[in-house]
Amino acid sequence: DIVMTQSPATLSVSPGERATLSCRASQSVRSNVAWYQQQPGQTPRLLIYGASTRATGVPARFSGSGSGTEFTLTISSLQSEDFAVYYCQQYNNWPPSWTFGQGTKVEIK
Amino acid sequence: EVQLVQSGVEVKKPGESLRISCKGSGYTFTTFWISWVRQMPGRGLEWMGRIDPSDSYTNYSPSFEGHVTIAVDRSISTAYLQWSGLKASDTAIYYCALSRGGACQACLDDWGQGTLVTVSS
């Protein structure tokens, strides 16, 4: 299986500041990475796919970048509703054997 | 509106069998893949496997293959996740999720509300 490693495990950020989350793949996954947000007690929500394309309805303050093995999710100016856990997911394999990273919790500083 | 509605909370004993369900509505059921995702208490997301409802073709994560079975009943637009011998380590929330395809065939676009499964003697 391809292992996705996220860092840091926890990120403490003040509202209005920028947050930068990292995800590293154990082998190249090209641009086949998605990012999900999970707010406390809620179901996950797709934010980004194809490493950099925002899903429908996702605010422009969320942006993704990267290819190969290194990926980044940036939240340009944190709002209160952005404090959550974020997961990267690779979907490069066929037949499908998709994997998630272990998550980064973005908490209020 | 696309909806995935999952079955309710389950409390089972080790070794028991279980089947949980995920009913799709608001779209043509056979059009989109359905995945199952596990979230153990206080832990992250784990992709378990997916099924193509049009032909019941399944793929499993190596971590789950042989321990769970994913199936569908097209006549009632419902996907299932089943176990034949539960373990305490199966205690988790299980989500079904829909991949609508388009620009990202593998993305999990819509999620069910989750089913909490507790396995305890």
Side-chain angles (χ1 to χ4, degrees), chain A residues 36-81:
Chain A
Y36 299 83
Q37 175 195 64
Q38 188 175 31
Q39 295 174 325
Q42 302 296 312
T43 61
R45 170 197 179 196
L46 175 67
L47 294 178
I48 300 282
Y49 64 89
S52 60
T53 302
R54 279 188 299 276
T56 303
V58 174
R61 64 181 182 271
F62 291 92
S63 62
S65 63
S67 65
T69 61
E70 301 285 342
F71 301 89
T72 301
L73 175 70
T74 302
I75 312 170
S76 60
S77 176
L78 273 155
Q79 307 297 304
S80 57
E81 62 268 29

Side-chain angles (χ1 to χ4, degrees), chain A residues 5-105:
Chain A
T5 303
Q6 293 186 240
S7 61
T10 303
L11 188 60
S12 298
V13 185
S14 299
E17 290 189 341
R18 173 186 295 259
T20 302
L21 290 67
S22 296
C23 178
R24 174 176 292 176
S26 60
Q27 63 189 73
S28 176
V29 294
R30 300 183 290 173
S31 294
N32 294 319
V33 165
W35 289 90
Y36 299 83
Q37 175 195 64
Q38 188 175 31
Q39 295 174 325
Q42 302 296 312
T43 61
R45 170 197 179 196
L46 175 67
L47 294 178
I48 300 282
Y49 64 89
S52 60
T53 302
R54 279 188 299 276
T56 303
V58 174
R61 64 181 182 271
F62 291 92
S63 62
S65 63
S67 65
T69 61
E70 301 285 342
F71 301 89
T72 301
L73 175 70
T74 302
I75 312 170
S76 60
S77 176
L78 273 155
Q79 307 297 304
S80 57
E81 62 268 29
D82 301 335
F83 292 96
V85 180
Y86 294 83
Y87 297 94
C88 60
Q89 175 214 1
Q90 70 78 20
Y91 51 91
N92 191 58
N93 324 64
W94 190 266
S97 184
W98 306 330
T99 47
F100 288 96
Q102 79 279 21
T104 290
K105 180 180 180 180

Side-chain angles (χ1 to χ4, degrees), chain B residues 69-90:
Chain B
T69 301
I70 298 172
V72 294
D73 184 338
R74 286 182 285 275
S75 69
I76 55 172
S77 301
T78 298
Y80 299 100
L81 179 66
Q82 52 196 46
W83 297 257
S84 58
L86 286 161
K87 305 175 184 178
S89 57
D90 293 317

Side-chain angles (χ1 to χ4, degrees), chain B residues 90-113:
Chain B
D90 293 317
T91 294
I93 296 173
Y94 293 87
Y95 294 100
C96 61
L98 194 68
S99 297
R100 297 201 196 189
C104 179
Q105 192 161 23
C107 291
L108 305 175
D109 300 279
D110 304 277
W111 293 68
Q113 83 275 19

